[in-house]
Amino acid sequence: MSENNGIPKHWRVKKLGEECKCVTGTTPPKNESKNYGNDIPFVKPPQLFDKPINNAPEKLSNRGADLARVLPINSVLVTCIGNLGRTAINKIPVAFNQQINAIIPSVNIDGRFLFYQAQSPEFRNQLEDLSSATTVAIVNKGKFETIKISFPPLPEQQAIVAKIEELLS
């Protein structure tokens, strides 16, 4: 296996926005109590702990979910305001607020592989480098989409994820 910058030759390197769909969360109007209820978990940065997520303390009603962005299962959530780079992968459909950018994997990428990659020093360093130098660190969606990811063919991603999860268990 010939390597280039530590990455095997058969792996692809692309910008997030070239390979995946990136979306920023939204918050349905708080003054409309009918937007909130018990239907869809509404994820905020305090719920992101670099772990899978399947619930949140606050929930939206189905009406509120229609006003929000609801993610398909195995999307990767990343905090992009304040405490940059905290992650989660959703195990059920969730809505999320505007302090979070989410990555919806393409058919070429296993969401779990992307989740572990988003926790890597390389990914987090890119995120830090892209943050604006203000009082509160922020990375907008346009900059977020320029983060480079490396990935092998899908079967190899799945084997890597299986090994990571075996070692973590």
Side-chain angles (χ1 to χ4, degrees), residues 17-156:
E18 292 173 341
E19 186 61 40
C20 303
K21 182 178 180 186
C22 298
V23 290
T24 302
T26 57
T27 299
K30 292 268 189 192
N31 59 356
E32 299 269 339
S33 60
K34 290 181 181 169
N35 290 333
Y36 295 82
N38 292 308
D39 298 313
I40 301 283
F42 184 57
V43 177
K44 297 177 184 176
Q47 283 92 53
L48 275 58
F49 290 108
D50 301 333
K51 295 183 192 174
I53 191 166
N54 58 22
N55 208 347
E58 194 169 355
K59 294 185 179 53
L60 301 178
S61 64
N62 286 321
R63 175 184 164 173
D66 288 343
L67 301 172
R69 295 199 173 105
V70 177
L71 294 171
I73 293 170
N74 286 330
S75 297
V76 179
L77 297 88
V78 181
T79 55
C80 287
I81 295 178
N83 191 349
L84 296 179
R86 290 172 46 174
T87 66
I89 185 168
N90 62 316
K91 294 304 175 186
I92 61 168
V94 299
F96 59 110
N97 80 4
Q98 59 275 13
Q99 294 176 289
I100 297 170
N101 282 331
I103 310 161
I104 300 170
S106 71
V107 295
N108 299 318
I109 299 187
D110 183 304
R112 296 165 309 154
F113 180 84
L114 195 54
F115 168 63
Y116 292 119
Q117 190 166 132
Q119 295 173 53
S120 72
E122 182 182 339
F123 189 98
R124 289 188 172 173
N125 289 340
Q126 290 181 76
L127 194 61
E128 289 286 333
D129 290 347
L130 292 169
S131 75
S132 58
T134 60
T135 309
V136 177
I138 183 169
V139 176
N140 67 31
K141 185 177 83 108
K143 287 182 179 178
F144 185 74
E145 290 174 326
T146 68
I147 292 174
K148 288 191 174 129
I149 55 170
S150 310
F151 56 98
L154 203 50
E156 194 172 338

